[in-house]
Amino acid sequence: MTTYKAGRHFLQIPGPSNVPDRILHAIGHPTIDHRGPEFREISKEVLLGLKRIFKTSGPVVIFPTSGTGAWEASLINTLNPGDKVLMFETGHFATLWHSMAKKFGLEVDFVPTNWRHGVDPQIVEDKLREDNDHQIKSVNVVHNETSTGVTSRIAEIRNAIDRANHPALFMVDTISSLGSVDYRHKEWQVDVTVGCSQKGLMMPPGLGFNAISEKALAASKANSFKRHFWDWQDMLKANDNFFYPSTPCTNLLFGLREAINMLEEEGLDQVFSRHDRFAEATRRAVRTWGLEILCENLSEYSSVLTAIMMPDGKSADAFRKVVLDNFDMSLGNGLGKVADRVFRIGHLGDLNDLSLIGTLAGVEMSLELGDISHTRGGVAAAMDYLASTKK
Ligand SMILES: *Cc1c(COP(=O)(O)O)cnc(C)c1O
């Protein structure tokens, strides 16, 4: 039997993130005819609004899927079996995208990292320069590696591709960065940007996105992977009139329209600086506690989440259990190589100063309860920072 827990559960994992009431209410609209005029208006607002969120003038398609489906669509719409692809092992999500590419018969050059750094633009340039006969067909990068709290520098990687004067497609996973961290599909000449609903967009899971460049569209008309559900052409043809080839997630699209409205009411730049501020406050707390941040490169700190290493011999999962049992707060677990070694604080989406301070207070009290040796005062350091940036 479950008993009522007073107050709101703190969902501080780095996605799915907290869904604000405005979005929940929007989703609670009666389902309408997805081939009728009312739907068409909503669909139009959403498809045009998403372009502003991705910062593109080209098409953005929406699939009923988690991020994984949107990854799949990016690969099979643009590449051919046996194509060479350059990928980087920045963490768990990059590793999953890599395994998917291998299953599709792509030949992946998977550049290792120690999971504490992002993609090194110099390596991108070197690898592409070595590839004189242009065998590499795409460079695939995870923008914000949600398993490590490391954000790769997409603009610099774009410049590296240009310096090598290489024609490879550039694909970027923005699944956990979109709507939280600055991102510019068009300006950075990204060919396919992969996104989904349940992280920076403050939505429940269920929608996956591909923003598509002209170059990627041309590749999709010539490539040979068999596909039906994930086919861009069918989708784009229906989207021309703001409809879909099969039944869309009508109610989630009501929610997405509200999410776009909310992000634009606050202003994207303000949304990004709010995330930067929360991330800095969190790092100040972590340093005060005497714990170590997994990300080693200051210019790659994630504003979406902070992954924190446990002191030697201490289980991150046991610690997370202390947090959940005592304070009804969920923190992110360590994934893959860093399982049980790190815990992750999500500070993305629908979050304000006091929800962040509540989150950090839950961590600090649990360090005490869990007998994790630390220095008190992390929350105070975060409060000082948040207050000083209000002045
Ligand atoms: C969450 C996430 C994914 C996986 O998305 P699903 O919705 O779980 O399929 C992929 N990449 C990144 C960077 C993510 O954060």
Side-chain angles (χ1 to χ4, degrees):
M1 204 183 75
T2 52
T3 49
Y4 175 68
K5 289 197 184 82
R8 213 172 207 273
H9 173 71
F10 268 54
L11 181 66
Q12 298 310 137
I13 60 175
S17 66
N18 292 288
V19 183
D21 292 347
R22 269 178 68 175
I23 292 178
L24 290 173
H25 289 143
I27 291 170
H29 191 289
T31 301
I32 60 171
D33 172 12
H34 62 286
R35 307 205 192 278
E38 188 187 352
F39 178 81
R40 187 177 180 281
E41 285 311 306
I42 287 152
S43 167
K44 182 176 175 184
E45 274 185 58
V46 166
L47 287 170
L48 299 180
L50 274 182
K51 288 178 197 258
R52 299 189 298 273
I53 303 296
F54 280 94
K55 297 194 179 149
T56 180
S57 51
V60 181
V61 294
I62 307 174
F63 291 107
T65 178
S66 76
T68 303
W71 266 346
E72 182 160 333
S74 71
L75 300 179
I76 64 177
N77 275 284
T78 54
L79 298 168
N80 289 291
D83 275 357
K84 224 175 143 180
V85 174
L86 182 60
M87 289 181 145
F88 296 81
E89 192 212 340
T90 48
H92 183 67
F93 290 103
T95 302
L96 291 175
W97 205 9
H98 163 252
S99 333
M100 174 186 280
K102 283 208 315 195
K103 279 188 199 161
F104 279 114
L106 298 167
E107 197 194 304
V108 188
D109 181 355
F110 195 43
V111 180
T113 83
N114 64 356
W115 285 36
R116 301 188 73 173
H117 296 94
V119 173
D120 182 345
Q122 190 58 49
I123 297 181
V124 175
E125 181 176 346
D126 295 346
K127 290 270 181 189
L128 293 180
R129 277 190 195 281
E130 282 163 23
D131 182 41
N132 288 318
D133 52 352
H134 298 165
Q135 289 299 305
I136 297 174
K137 299 302 176 195
S138 80
V139 177
N140 293 34
V141 170
V142 173
H143 182 203
N144 185 71
E145 194 26 279
T146 324
S147 60
T148 61
V150 177
T151 305
S152 285
R153 293 156 291 167
I154 302 302
E156 289 179 42
I157 298 167
R158 172 76 257 168
N159 291 338
I161 298 172
D162 290 346
R163 281 196 303 275
N165 197 18
H166 195 288
L169 293 168
F170 186 24
M171 301 196 205
V172 181
D173 168 342
T174 62
I175 290 175
S176 65
S177 53
L178 192 75
S180 299
V181 176
D182 188 21
Y183 184 76
R184 308 171 190 193
H185 176 90
K186 186 177 183 180
E187 184 182 327
W188 297 340
Q189 295 169 61
V190 179
D191 293 299
V192 188
T193 301
V194 180
C196 75
S197 54
Q198 76 269 25
K199 301 187 185 180
L201 299 187
M202 308 174 286
M203 286 273 295
L207 299 177
F209 315 118
N210 285 169
I212 305 166
S213 74
E214 278 176 28
K215 189 166 145 190
L217 204 54
S220 77
K221 288 178 178 155
N223 89 321
S224 66
F225 269 118
K226 290 212 185 336
R227 58 190 180 271
H228 174 79
F229 185 74
W230 302 115
D231 191 39
W232 288 346
Q233 305 303 328
D234 289 352
M235 184 63 95
L236 288 170
K237 220 164 94 198
N239 282 179
D240 268 348
N241 205 17
F242 307 110
F243 292 117
Y244 287 77
S246 57
T247 314
C249 295
T250 319
N251 288 58
L252 288 182
L253 294 175
F254 285 122
L256 182 56
R257 178 174 65 165
E258 193 63 14
I260 295 169
N261 286 343
M262 291 168 73
L263 289 170
E264 293 189 328
E265 274 172 32
E266 185 177 355
L268 281 179
D269 289 339
Q270 171 57 30
V271 170
F272 301 149
S273 59
R274 176 166 55 82
H275 282 78
D276 293 343
R277 213 171 137 257
F278 290 164
E280 177 59 26
T282 302
R283 291 189 294 267
R284 287 180 186 219
V286 175
R287 290 194 195 105
T288 305
W289 293 326
L291 299 178
E292 196 174 341
I293 296 166
L294 184 61
C295 178
E296 274 183 331
N297 188 347
L298 274 61
S299 64
E300 294 176 324
Y301 276 144
S302 171
S303 289
V304 174
L305 76 139
T306 302
I308 298 152
M309 296 169 74
M310 289 301 285
D312 281 342
K314 295 287 184 180
S315 156
D317 290 340
F319 174 66
R320 287 189 317 110
K321 188 173 183 318
V322 171
V323 178
L324 181 63
D325 290 351
N326 290 283
F327 301 109
D328 195 22
M329 174 162 75
S330 299
L331 297 177
N333 62 341
L335 293 165
K337 263 188 199 177
V338 292
D340 206 28
R341 295 288 308 123
V342 309
F343 67 95
R344 297 172 298 150
I345 300 177
H347 32 74
L348 71 159
D350 189 40
L351 202 71
N352 64 17
D353 290 29
L354 296 187
S355 32
L356 180 73
I357 289 301
T359 299
L360 297 174
V363 173
E364 187 161 327
M365 288 187 285
S366 301
L367 289 171
E368 191 70 41
L369 290 172
D371 280 330
I372 312 294
S373 85
H374 67 286
T375 306
R376 289 182 192 186
V379 176
M383 288 197 297
D384 282 347
Y385 175 74
L386 289 181
S388 73
T389 54
K390 287 282 192 196
K391 280 178 191 153

